[in-house]
Amino acid sequence: MNVCSRLARFATVTLGILLLTPAMAAGRLNVLIWSEYLDPAVVADFEAAHGAKVFVDVYEESESMLAKLQGGGASQYDVVCVPDSLVIAAIQLKLLAPLRKQNLPNLRHLEPRFTRLSFDPTGTYTVPYQWGTLVLYYREDPGRPAPDSWAAIFDPTASYGPFTLLDSVRDTIGAALKYRGHSFNSTNTAHLRDARDLVQAAKARAIGFETTVSGRNRVLAGTSALALVYSSDAARGMAENPGTRCVIPKEGSEIWLDTLAITARAPNRDLAEQFLNWILDPRQGARISTFTRSGTPNAAARNLIAPEVLKNTAVYPPPEVMARLEFLEDLGSRTRLYDQIWTQIKAK
C-alpha cells in the first residue's frame, strides 16, 4: 500500500472519533498526532496483535493540539503527541496522566540523553517519540549558491527566491532571534522587538505562512523556492524529489523532540499503555523512523532503520552541526511576550 493510500485510510478511520461513547471505548484507541507522523502499517499490526481498532486524528500546528485537549480532548483521546515545548503547559493544565511505568518495559530501549530533559526530567508523563530540527528546505538551482544562513529569509539582499514562513510562533520568531545571534529562548524584550520587525519585514516579501507539510509541498510543486520546515518533512521531500535539499543555517537552529503521552481522562488507559509499549519496541520504532524520516530516541531501534535514512545528514546531522542546536524551553509566564508579538506580526 503506498503512502497516499495509507493516509486515505487514516482519514477515513478518524471520522468515527467524535461519535464514540464510553461504552464503545473498549478495544478502541483514539490517537491525536501530527499529520503524516505514524506509519499506518505499524498501527495495523498493533490492531491485529491486540484485537483493537485505532482511530487517528491529526493536527498541523502544535498550539492547536493543546487547544483540542483543553476543549475536551483530554477525555476523548487516549494517546497524544506533545511537542517538547508544550509538555510543561500540558502537565500544569492537568491534561496528562502519570505513566504507569511497570506497564512499559520497553522504556529500557531509550537513549539516556532523551530521558532526562528539563520539561519532564523523570519521564513521569511523557515517552520520547521522534526528534528532528528546524531547517531551510529549497529547490536546487545551478545558477544560485545554496543558502546557508537565515539571511535567505531575513535579509532581502540574500534572498534565495520566493519563500514561505512557518506558521508557528516559537519556530519562526526563534529563527529570527537566531539570525541575530540570540537564543531561541530569549525573553529579552529588545531582542523580541527586533525579531518581530524582522519577521514582519519577511512577511511582506514572503508568499505567506504555511504549515511544515504545506511549505514542503510548495517547494515540491515549484511554487516556492524555499520554505522554513521541520527536517522530517524536508527529508521526505528530498526522497520524493532529489533536486531539493535542506540546510541547518550556519547561525544554528532548533532541535525538537516530540513525545507521546496518555491523556488525563483517557477512555482506554490500559490499551493506551499497550500502544506506547508497542511503539517503544525497537522493531516498531525503526519502522516509524524510516516512515517519518525523523531521528529515533530508541537506541535499540537505530540499527534497524533503513540505511538510506540512517546515513541521511538531514535526519542525523553530524556532531559539529548538532553542537549548534538548542531545544525550545518552556518560558512560563513569559510565553505571553511571544504571543503578543505574534499577534502583532499576524495583524500587520
Side-chain angles (χ1 to χ4, degrees):
M1 186 184 294
N2 61 36
V3 171
C4 291
S5 297
R6 291 172 175 174
L7 295 175
R9 176 180 179 276
F10 264 28
T12 299
V13 298
T14 59
L15 294 177
I17 289 178
L18 297 177
L19 302 178
L20 292 177
T21 66
M24 299 168 63
R28 296 173 182 264
L29 187 76
N30 300 328
V31 178
L32 178 62
I33 195 167
W34 291 101
S35 65
E36 303 184 12
Y37 208 35
L38 186 58
D39 185 349
V42 171
V43 173
D45 287 348
F46 173 81
E47 291 176 324
H50 291 81
K53 296 297 293 183
V54 178
F55 295 81
V56 179
D57 196 5
V58 300
Y59 60 86
E60 299 282 359
E61 193 265 329
S62 56
E63 279 74 15
S64 68
M65 175 279 303
L66 200 61
K68 280 192 172 187
L69 292 188
Q70 290 181 276
S75 60
Q76 184 180 67
Y77 299 104
D78 299 288
V79 173
V80 59
C81 180
V82 186
D84 49 8
S85 62
L86 293 179
V87 168
I88 291 179
I91 293 171
Q92 292 177 339
L93 290 167
K94 301 185 184 307
L95 298 172
L96 307 181
L99 298 172
R100 299 181 295 196
K101 294 185 181 180
Q102 68 273 22
N103 297 332
L104 303 171
N106 284 332
L107 283 170
R108 68 184 186 277
H109 297 303
L110 291 172
E111 278 191 57
R113 64 173 170 152
F114 290 111
T115 61
R116 294 187 289 270
L117 296 173
S118 60
F119 55 80
D120 189 12
T122 58
T124 300
Y125 293 92
T126 59
V127 171
Y129 178 60
Q130 303 283 283
W131 65 269
T133 61
L134 183 68
V135 303
L136 295 175
Y137 175 57
Y138 61 96
R139 296 180 70 87
E140 282 190 305
D141 183 345
R144 286 180 292 186
D148 66 353
S149 164
W150 293 116
I153 288 178
F154 298 116
D155 181 352
T157 68
S159 174
Y160 189 73
F163 63 92
T164 60
L165 296 165
L166 185 57
D167 195 6
S168 172
V169 182
R170 294 291 303 276
D171 295 318
T172 299
I173 294 174
L177 288 167
K178 205 66 180 177
Y179 173 57
R180 291 297 202 205
H182 308 308
S183 167
F184 265 75
N185 301 297
S186 175
T187 56
N188 180 294
T189 53
H191 295 171
L192 290 172
R193 282 196 296 270
D194 182 45
R196 175 199 60 196
D197 294 344
L198 279 172
V199 176
Q200 281 181 330
K203 174 187 172 184
R205 301 189 303 274
I207 294 172
F209 290 94
E210 299 282 0
T211 66
T212 180
V213 172
S214 56
R216 175 201 67 192
N217 290 342
R218 274 190 170 273
V219 173
L220 286 172
T223 58
S224 174
L226 178 145
L228 180 58
V229 303
Y230 300 133
S231 56
S232 50
D233 290 298
R236 294 179 76 166
M238 291 162 61
E240 183 174 339
N241 182 345
T244 62
R245 290 285 184 270
C246 75
V247 64
I248 293 175
K250 61 185 179 183
E251 297 90 348
S253 188
E254 164 199 345
I255 179 172
W256 47 260
L257 174 70
D258 286 322
T259 71
L260 295 180
I262 297 175
T263 57
R265 296 181 294 281
N268 201 336
R269 185 173 179 179
D270 291 341
L271 189 59
E273 289 173 341
Q274 292 169 18
F275 185 75
L276 293 192
N277 202 51
W278 179 265
I279 296 297
L280 287 165
D281 180 282
R283 292 164 298 179
Q284 310 309 328
R287 293 170 74 188
I288 290 171
S289 288
T290 299
F291 176 81
T292 65
R293 294 182 186 269
S294 302
T296 179
N298 189 319
R302 186 154 174 154
N303 291 333
L304 302 175
I305 293 172
E308 67 271 19
V309 176
L310 196 60
K311 295 177 182 176
N312 190 337
T313 56
V315 181
Y316 294 100
E320 65 272 19
V321 176
M322 290 291 290
R324 301 199 304 268
L325 305 176
E326 63 177 318
F327 281 102
L328 294 185
E329 298 173 359
D330 181 87
L331 301 177
S333 62
R334 298 184 75 78
T335 300
R336 63 180 172 77
L337 297 174
Y338 282 76
D339 294 337
Q340 288 170 356
I341 67 172
W342 190 247
T343 300
Q344 294 166 5
I345 289 167
K346 287 297 192 75
K348 187 171 182 179

